[in-house]
Amino acid sequence: MTKTVIALAADHAGFPLKEVLGDELRVLGYEPLDLGTHGLDSVDYPDFGHAAALAVLEGRAALGVICCGTGIGISMAANKHRGIRAALCHDATTARLAREHNDANILALGARIVGTEVARDCLRAFLATPFGGGRHESRVAKIDHVRTKEAVR
């Protein structure tokens, strides 16, 4: 049986949390695709947000998890890619609703904002929750229309 691959990327501030979440993914039965960074030396968060977005878009990973100090910058970088809906989450409820209502395909976390246990809770909720569809489908479609520069109706 093939394990589901989850892209995992972080800058230097998010590196320690990335390592914890990689271990958690393995415990949960997933295969992390570690896109870096691999240490505490200063790097640029957009490089890692872009790498995770491309891994998801190219089908190398089913979903992604990204971390930087606040989660803001790396999620902004990932969200520049059409088809990516990176959600910056601060607790299990926002992670669950990001998947259920917004069909988020990347979880973004701020390593200096949320603690390790909260981050694990977010990860578990994100991975366990499917997109709810229904009334949410038209709203997600409107997000994608803006991305493609089509008029929002």
Side-chain angles (χ1 to χ4, degrees), residues 62-131:
L63 296 168
V65 179
I66 55 179
C67 309
C68 70
T70 62
I72 297 169
I74 201 166
S75 65
M76 292 172 89
N79 277 321
K80 293 296 181 185
H81 296 265
R82 186 179 350 189
I84 292 298
R85 287 176 300 282
L88 176 57
C89 298
H90 297 104
D91 55 38
T93 300
T94 54
R96 179 179 55 80
L97 292 174
R99 288 283 301 135
E100 184 179 336
H101 291 189
N102 309 117
D103 199 17
N105 49 15
I106 295 183
L107 170 64
L109 297 167
R112 295 176 178 153
I113 306 299
V114 299
T116 302
E117 290 309 313
V118 171
R120 281 188 180 114
D121 290 344
C122 289
L123 179 66
R124 287 189 295 266
F126 188 80
L127 294 173
T129 306
F131 176 50

Side-chain angles (χ1 to χ4, degrees), residues 6-87:
I6 306 296
L8 190 58
D11 71 354
H12 56 283
F15 168 72
L17 183 58
K18 176 183 73 78
E19 296 298 293
V20 167
L21 296 176
D23 290 343
E24 185 70 13
L25 285 169
R26 284 185 275 283
V27 166
L28 295 171
Y30 293 91
E31 181 182 336
L33 173 61
D34 190 338
L35 301 169
T37 195
H38 302 291
L40 297 173
D41 293 336
S42 184
V43 294
D44 298 329
Y45 58 80
D47 298 336
F48 300 94
H50 294 312
L54 290 173
V56 171
L57 290 173
E58 292 169 356
R60 292 183 287 130
L63 296 168
V65 179
I66 55 179
C67 309
C68 70
T70 62
I72 297 169
I74 201 166
S75 65
M76 292 172 89
N79 277 321
K80 293 296 181 185
H81 296 265
R82 186 179 350 189
I84 292 298
R85 287 176 300 282

